[in-house]
Structure formats: C-alpha cells, structure tokens
Amino acid sequence: MTQPSHIRCKNMILGALVADAAAMGLHWIYDQDHIAKVAPDAPEFKDPDPRNFDGVPAYYAHPTKTSGELSQYGEQVMVMLRTLAKDGGEFCAADFADQFRAHFGYGGAYVGYIDHATRGTLDNYRSFEDAVNACALDVPFEGDQRIRKALVAKLLPLLHRHSGADLTEAFRLAVRETSTDEATIEFGARLLDAMNTVPLATGTTDVQLPAIAKLPALIARLCIQGDTSGAAFSEPVAAAIRTTSDNPTATVFGMAGAKMMAAAVLHGNSDAVIKAARSIADPAVNKLIEQAIEMQGKDNATATKHFGMACDMPFGIPSAAHNIATATSFSDAIRRNIYGGGDSCGRAILVGAVMGAIFGVGGDQGIPQAWIDRLDVKDDAGALIEKLVS
C-alpha cells in the first residue's frame, strides 16, 4: 500500500465530489459526438450553457448552477458527510433520512434539480406525515388541541427510530415531558396504538444512480472502523441505499458499488476493485461486470453506449467498472466519464470515489489540485472530511 487507508478514505470522498462537479456542466447530454465537439480537450468544469444542449438529445437540468458547484448527486455526498460528522461517525439511518429531507425538502438549503428518487422519497415522507396527522385526528381527545398537535410532532420522528417496547417507552417519556395530566397520558397511549394502521415511509422504488450517491462518506467511515465484511458492512449500506431507493435491484447493484469503494480503500488498485464488484452473488450484476471486463479493448464511450447512458444502475455500474479497469489516472477516468455522456454525474460518484482512493491527490495520476481548487464546497468538505476520518 502506497498510502495509509485513512488517507485513501479522505481521497475517496474528495474524489467523488470533484468528479461530480467536473461533470455537472455537460450532465445529461446524450450525444457523445456533440460533447466531444463542444469540449474537445477539457470537458471538465464547464458552466452549464443551454447552447450546449440545443439540437441534440439532452436535458438541461442545472440552469441555476455555475462551474464548480455540485449536482444533486454531489449534494447527497455532502448530506451524508455532514450527518456522520455531526454524529461522531456513527451511522443512523433515521438521522440520515431526517437530514436528507431537511436539505432537499421544503425550505431546505438545496436549490436545483430534484431527481426521481429524491422527489419520490420526499413525497412518500410527506404522505406518511399526512397519514399520521389524519390518524391522530380520529383518536378522541377532549383536552387542549395544542397538546394533540405537540404529541403528534413528538411522535413522528420516533416512529422511524424505535419499534416495539422501545417506541412505547420513548413516546411515554415524550408524553410526560409535555403533560402529566392523566387524560393526556391516556390519549398518548391511544394515539400510539392507532399508529399501527399507518405504514412507515420508505424511499421510492427507484433503481437509478442516486441510490449510491450517499455512500462515499459512509464507506470511508466503515473502512476506518474496520467494518468491511458481513452484516457490519451490508446492513448500514443497505439502509442508506433504501433511504431513497427501496428496491431489491437498487440494493444489489448499490452493494456492488459499495464493495468497489471499500476495495479501493483497502487495496488501492483497480484489479481488487473489479474483483470486489464480481464478488456480488447476483447473476445480473456478475453478467454485466463480466461484459465490462470483456470490453477492455474498447474505449469507455463505446462501453457506456453499449450498457446505456441513462441513470439506471444496471447501465451505470458496468460503465463505471469498465472505466475503472482501463483508465490510467483520475483525470483520465473523469474525462472519459464525461465524454460517455448521459448521466455522467451519477457515474461520477463511483468513478471519482474509486479513482480518488487509488491515485490520491496530485502528481501525474492523482486528483489535480487545480480541480480541487475549483470545487465550490472545497473548504466545507475539507473540514468535514478531516473531522470524520482523522
């Protein structure tokens, strides 16, 4: 190993962010020849220009952004990074879900394109809150209606953090903090019983690349803790994926991406990364990774077009694997990814994370310092990475 694993963890998170920002300006152009024409030498860090999207299959998703800013994918990286740094590195799926909704939802800090997985997830949680409130109104209570409202507000976050006896005890304490009046306590018990009819909110059934966008910081933390195998690895990874993408296909392809990132940190070479991708005991994943390896003699744009340029993980994961197996440096991989077209930002998270961990920062092969300097969240991300990984 040429670098300590904790340095690789830092560079994995940084690589994902830089790769996403580098791709954002030409994101979702589905004509590879057109991309090569408008950016023949350096496709990275282009300002989103509507003229580059005219007359070709494309979707101009980032009109409010400028060069160096993150797409919605990179924003997910930052949400997980902030959540873990805030929580001392310990992952709590409910806490991440809360932070995700606070950032992307109504009144949140994020301004920009909301993808299908994010929109569906926000809608699901909004519907859940509406169902809880409607159910609560059906529970008789003759006391102050402000207390009813207060108890529902206290119950909502507990429903996703606790279950069974733990939920009962947590809500009992919350009720007594609000009022010791017997009528209120009895109402709290009836309210909790009524919630058995309300199904918990989940992520949408999406199978697209947002499923893995939140993973780099989580994988880094699990690697630092030594939790890279068995349930200690798979359970938090699957829970994170399900935050936005509650679908078996999303989970299995997301797990392949997670194992690729972990292998990059632990072993620092692309062979180990591809081996990790092929270790997933799922025939659909294995078949596509095998095809990607068989195409090593072709350029990544050709491979990306073969698998599919759109956002689905069965398209993006094998394209990323081909890129990782054939690129000679971080900048080479990121430029290939952009020239591949389509959902370049979605693929950028995995490609950038893996290549950042393998090649590090600077030199002929690492993340160019000039690219890091162009990253809009450079200072914020740097401080959070140091807090999480050191």
Side-chain angles (χ1 to χ4, degrees):
M1 296 178 66
T2 57
Q3 294 179 336
S5 61
H6 74 282
I7 298 297
R8 287 205 175 114
C9 286
K10 293 179 180 181
N11 293 336
M12 177 170 65
I13 303 168
L14 181 62
L17 293 168
V18 170
D20 174 76
M24 187 271 294
L26 298 175
H27 185 207
W28 278 326
I29 298 176
Y30 284 86
D31 187 318
Q32 294 175 341
D33 292 336
H34 180 71
I35 298 172
K37 181 179 179 180
V38 301
D41 300 314
E44 67 274 4
F45 290 100
K46 295 291 186 183
D47 274 314
D49 186 337
R51 293 171 296 183
N52 291 334
F53 292 74
D54 286 344
V56 295
Y59 181 70
Y60 184 49
H62 307 298
T64 65
K65 294 186 177 294
T66 58
S67 176
E69 291 187 84
L70 300 171
S71 79
Q72 78 278 8
Y73 290 103
E75 292 284 344
Q76 278 206 51
V77 177
M78 289 298 294
V79 173
M80 179 63 83
L81 181 55
R82 292 190 190 101
T83 304
L84 290 174
K86 176 181 70 68
D87 290 347
E90 295 302 316
F91 174 69
C92 170
D95 196 20
F96 173 67
D98 286 346
Q99 297 300 317
F100 181 90
R101 295 195 302 275
H103 184 70
F104 287 103
Y106 304 121
Y110 177 71
V111 177
Y113 178 77
I114 298 290
D115 56 45
H116 180 268
T118 299
R119 183 172 62 254
T121 298
L122 294 174
D123 288 347
N124 285 353
Y125 274 87
R126 181 64 185 177
S127 296
F128 169 72
E129 291 177 3
D130 289 345
V132 167
N133 280 291
C135 184
L137 288 175
D138 289 336
V139 179
F141 181 53
E142 297 180 357
D144 189 333
Q145 293 306 301
R146 290 174 297 181
I147 292 180
R148 178 198 294 271
K149 185 176 181 180
L151 292 187
V152 172
K154 290 189 175 186
L155 178 58
L156 272 166
L158 296 178
L159 289 172
H160 282 283
R161 283 177 162 77
H162 303 278
S163 61
D166 288 341
L167 174 60
T168 300
E169 178 61 15
F171 189 53
R172 184 188 70 81
L173 293 174
V175 171
R176 290 186 175 276
E177 288 174 356
T178 305
S179 173
T180 57
D181 177 70
E182 285 301 319
T184 299
I185 294 171
E186 290 177 6
F187 169 70
R190 294 195 303 272
L191 179 63
L192 184 58
D193 286 341
M195 291 305 118
N196 291 327
T197 64
V198 181
L200 292 175
T202 65
T204 190
T205 57
D206 193 84
V207 298
Q208 299 180 93
L209 287 161
I212 62 170
K214 73 274 295 173
L215 294 183
L218 176 59
I219 303 303
R221 188 60 191 178
L222 293 174
C223 287
I224 289 293
Q225 294 172 332
D227 297 332
T228 57
S229 64
F233 182 85
S234 62
E235 289 181 359
V237 169
I241 291 168
R242 287 195 299 268
T243 303
T244 58
S245 311
D246 192 11
N247 183 296
T249 298
T251 300
V252 72
F253 276 91
M255 198 63 65
K259 287 183 175 292
M260 292 167 75
M261 294 183 210
V265 169
L266 298 175
H267 304 290
N269 64 78
S270 59
D271 288 342
V273 171
I274 300 305
K275 182 179 179 181
R278 297 165 81 173
S279 72
I280 299 295
D282 182 272
V285 176
N286 290 333
K287 180 180 178 180
L288 289 170
I289 298 300
E290 290 293 338
Q291 290 180 16
I293 301 310
E294 290 170 359
M295 295 183 70
Q296 285 189 77
K298 299 182 180 296
D299 62 66
N300 187 245
T302 299
T304 301
K305 184 176 288 187
H306 169 78
F307 291 112
M309 299 160 65
C311 310
D312 288 12
M313 285 199 290
F315 304 160
I317 297 295
S319 168
H322 178 277
N323 196 347
I324 290 162
T326 57
T328 58
S329 68
F330 181 88
S331 58
D332 179 35
I334 301 318
R335 286 171 174 158
R336 289 183 184 199
N337 176 54
I338 298 170
Y339 284 129
D343 192 15
S344 51
C345 283
R347 299 187 303 269
I349 300 300
L350 178 56
V351 174
V354 167
M355 296 313 236
I358 290 175
F359 291 120
V361 174
D364 294 334
Q365 295 180 295
I367 308 169
Q369 185 61 50
W371 290 17
I372 297 172
D373 291 340
R374 298 184 71 172
L375 185 62
D376 188 62
V377 296
K378 170 190 170 184
D379 292 339
D380 186 20
L384 290 168
I385 291 169
E386 286 295 329
K387 183 176 181 180
L388 179 66
V389 176
S390 61

